[in-house]
Amino acid sequence: PHQERYRNLEKIGFLLADYDIVALQEADGGSLRSGNINQVQQLAQLGNFPYWYQQRNRDLGPFAQHSNGLLTRFQPEIIEDHPLPGPAGRGAILAKIGEGEDAVAVVSMHLALGTRVRNLQLAYIREMVSDYKHVVLMGDMNTHAENLLINSPLSSLNLRAPQICATFPSWKPQRCLDHILISSELDIDNMSVLPIPISDHLPVAMDIILPDNAVTPAYKFSQP
């Protein structure tokens, strides 16, 4: 609840306007702390996204509406809301982009701090996407890439974590907690951790090139 929160939302919205699919964590769904603004909806409007989804994970009534969000310029074939295992308050959003075997499963998530609960959540997410050939997992995963790809239930999915740069805290990054994990079949045109401290985590951005027979030749993904 800071006096600069409105201006900060505008800065984030301006940044997101250059991307096609965006995952948001720890957004407020409209409460006293956000000036009764649904930040997911507001960022969708500021970035001109025609499709958006808010997942409310902690409902504290008028005081706080802790939420994840997914913004997209492509109409999803499916949107699924998944509360994750463990203590209440963590969730994942699954969006199916495209049709048939070349559809892309895009998952926005915010994982637990503890290893045991986080691995329960990752096992759940692995089952969510197990039928998809192309997978993009985005979010605040609260651990480093090695733990995700080697020492977690995701190890069976043959994913890649192209970025290993520190993202937290944004004012002096020391830990790599925020990731875009992708299927090994997908190619990357560009990847970066943006040096823009407009949140407590730095944004991760990636241009992903899909196979020729997929829905569209390229997507620009962002994980603020």
Side-chain angles (χ1 to χ4, degrees), residues 105-140:
V106 177
V107 182
S108 166
M109 69 190 75
H110 189 186
L111 301 181
L113 294 169
T115 302
R116 185 186 66 82
V117 175
R118 187 169 58 243
N119 281 341
L120 288 175
Q121 296 169 347
L122 291 170
Y124 183 94
I125 289 167
R126 178 193 61 200
E127 294 305 310
M128 282 170 51
V129 301
S130 60
D131 293 333
Y132 289 89
K133 180 180 178 181
H134 305 304
V135 175
V136 177
L137 307 182
M138 302 193 288
D140 178 357

Side-chain angles (χ1 to χ4, degrees), residues 24-195:
L24 304 169
Q25 294 83 47
E26 295 187 347
D28 191 88
S31 70
L32 291 175
R33 75 182 189 127
S34 63
N36 295 311
I37 291 175
N38 184 327
Q39 294 176 335
V40 178
Q41 181 182 29
Q42 183 75 0
L43 288 172
Q45 292 173 350
L46 290 170
N48 293 314
F49 288 89
Y51 308 103
W52 61 274
Y53 184 81
Q54 175 205 352
Q55 178 189 52
R56 185 181 294 108
N57 296 313
R58 288 192 183 98
D59 186 350
L60 302 181
F63 301 104
Q65 297 286 320
H66 300 283
S67 303
N68 291 335
L70 188 71
L71 318 179
T72 172
R73 303 195 189 284
F74 307 101
Q75 182 173 6
E77 294 293 317
I78 295 172
I79 284 275
E80 295 177 357
D81 186 310
H82 292 266
L84 291 175
R90 305 290 187 178
I93 304 167
L94 169 65
K96 176 184 176 184
I97 307 293
E99 299 179 341
E101 65 175 14
D102 289 314
V104 183
V106 177
V107 182
S108 166
M109 69 190 75
H110 189 186
L111 301 181
L113 294 169
T115 302
R116 185 186 66 82
V117 175
R118 187 169 58 243
N119 281 341
L120 288 175
Q121 296 169 347
L122 291 170
Y124 183 94
I125 289 167
R126 178 193 61 200
E127 294 305 310
M128 282 170 51
V129 301
S130 60
D131 293 333
Y132 289 89
K133 180 180 178 181
H134 305 304
V135 175
V136 177
L137 307 182
M138 302 193 288
D140 178 357
M141 302 186 189
N142 272 313
T143 192
H144 295 274
E146 180 179 350
N147 293 330
L148 294 165
L149 300 185
I150 300 175
N151 303 314
S152 90
L154 295 184
S155 61
S156 62
L157 292 182
N158 195 27
L159 299 176
R160 291 189 289 155
Q163 81 87 9
I164 55 173
C165 299
T167 59
F168 179 82
S170 61
W171 52 91
K172 190 178 180 181
Q174 298 177 12
R175 303 183 65 195
C176 181
L177 303 182
D178 304 272
H179 304 279
I180 302 177
L181 310 180
I182 66 170
S183 300
S184 57
E185 299 87 358
L186 300 176
D187 292 324
I188 301 167
D189 186 51
N190 185 45
M191 185 283 302
S192 60
V193 173
L194 306 179

